[in-house]
Amino acid sequence: MKLKFLGSGTSQGVPVIGCHCEVCTSQDPKDRRFRSSALITTDAGKKILIDCGPDFRMQMLENSEEHVDALLLTHEHNDHVIGLDDMRPLIFRSRKDIPIYCSKRVGDEIKQRFHYAFAEIKYPGAPSFELHEISGPFTLFDAYVTPVEVLHHKLAIFGFRFKNLVYITDASAIPHKEMEKLKDLDYLILNCIRKEEPHPAHFILPQVLELFKILKPKKMFLTHISHHMGMHQDVENELPENVHLAFDQLEIDF
């Protein structure tokens, strides 16, 4: 299987509009970050998208991707779902509704926010989706998916485990019972918004490094990174061995 980072930035993306800091004006392409999203390619070649934010269209174009077989949603915040309407060309070409897997709360929010996609009589050109409620581990095509429930401030959201890889975005705490799902990992992908100043809804660098010591994955990649983290290469040089910053278009085989 493969995981490709379609985006590794926060809700504002990097560069931030109107910001002239050294990160936002950097010429290093690794300092330019779309909103966080990832694309899993299964062993059978099926494409499973994790989150569909406002950069979805450009993410697909820049990665020469043309197909999504299913979508997993971590939660309902705009930077993770607002790109759903841009899935229309994929839906029209395949002539199939795209299945979305998410919690009931997220599904209810999607039906309200994109009500026209679920109307009995659809407007011509509207997208169409099948909602599937996640209630535990499930098989999606040839992939076994284990949801990992984490906290985004006070909001319960999902991360996902495939084989020995876990992808978690937007977390600020991981309940003890869910930590069991994070053992014996080859790859732990975890959000890290910045280096020092505490954040109520996101991990910061000291917290993720402590989790790295506790969980002992073979490698950790940090995502959902803001411009406050610093220059990509500078931070990479400061990180411990086997801890890395993710960047857009990075691909992992697992």
Side-chain angles (χ1 to χ4, degrees):
M1 295 177 72
K2 296 178 185 288
L3 179 143
K4 181 182 281 188
F5 291 93
L6 299 183
S8 57
T10 54
S11 58
Q12 296 184 81
V14 183
V16 176
I17 294 172
C19 182
H20 303 284
C21 74
E22 64 173 1
V23 177
C24 289
T25 56
S26 170
Q27 298 304 303
D28 184 348
K30 292 181 181 178
D31 286 316
R32 303 183 71 84
R33 303 181 184 276
F34 283 136
R35 268 60 74 92
S36 290
S37 175
L39 187 66
I40 300 285
T41 303
T42 74
D43 291 332
K46 295 293 187 179
K47 300 286 187 175
I48 303 172
L49 180 69
I50 305 177
D51 290 338
C52 186
D55 298 317
F56 172 72
R57 175 177 171 273
M58 288 306 301
Q59 288 169 332
M60 294 291 282
L61 291 171
E62 292 206 0
N63 285 278
S64 300
E65 294 286 350
E66 299 179 356
H67 190 72
V68 170
D69 292 292
L71 171 61
L72 304 179
L73 293 179
T74 59
H75 63 298
E76 66 270 38
H77 287 166
N78 258 15
D79 55 318
H80 296 266
V81 304
I82 207 62
L84 283 173
D85 192 79
D86 283 338
M87 299 189 93
R88 287 181 297 149
L90 286 66
I91 295 166
F92 300 158
R93 192 163 55 249
S94 68
R95 299 184 180 181
K96 294 179 182 177
D97 299 350
I98 288 186
I100 297 176
Y101 293 78
C102 57
S103 69
K104 182 181 184 304
R105 184 196 73 231
V106 172
D108 290 344
E109 178 65 27
I110 293 301
K111 283 189 282 188
Q112 288 187 21
R113 208 174 300 180
F114 298 92
H115 56 88
Y116 55 91
F118 299 93
E120 277 192 33
I121 302 175
K122 288 189 176 67
Y123 184 84
S128 52
F129 306 105
E130 294 175 0
L131 286 175
H132 301 267
E133 182 181 347
I134 295 174
S135 57
F138 60 101
T139 299
L140 184 54
F141 309 117
D142 57 317
Y144 187 73
V145 184
T146 302
V148 181
E149 189 170 298
V150 299
L151 290 174
H152 181 26
H153 189 39
K154 297 180 180 180
L155 188 70
I157 73 169
F158 282 137
F160 299 103
R161 178 169 181 158
F162 302 82
K163 294 185 178 178
N164 289 329
L165 176 146
V166 167
Y167 179 93
I168 294 174
T169 182
D170 285 45
S172 54
I174 302 173
H176 180 73
K177 65 181 178 64
E178 297 297 286
M179 295 282 273
E180 291 295 313
K181 299 175 183 177
L182 307 183
K183 290 183 176 179
D184 303 316
L185 294 178
D186 291 333
Y187 297 102
L188 175 57
I189 298 162
L190 193 59
N191 64 297
C192 183
I193 196 166
R194 56 197 181 207
K195 282 185 180 179
E196 297 173 351
E197 185 183 351
H199 193 287
H202 293 275
F203 287 130
I204 61 170
L205 188 56
Q207 294 171 313
V208 297
L209 293 181
E210 182 62 24
L211 284 168
F212 179 72
K213 291 178 184 177
I214 294 168
L215 296 168
K216 297 180 172 59
K218 290 180 182 176
K219 282 193 177 182
M220 174 184 273
F221 284 93
L222 310 183
T223 191
H224 209 284
I225 298 162
S226 79
H227 62 151
H228 297 296
M229 179 68 85
M231 301 283 282
H232 180 97
Q233 194 55 57
D234 291 345
V235 179
E236 270 286 301
N237 293 337
E238 298 167 1
L239 291 174
E241 186 178 7
N242 294 323
V243 179
H244 303 280
L245 295 185
F247 55 88
D248 294 12
Q249 299 189 12
L250 171 65
E251 193 167 73
I252 298 170
D253 291 296
F254 65 99

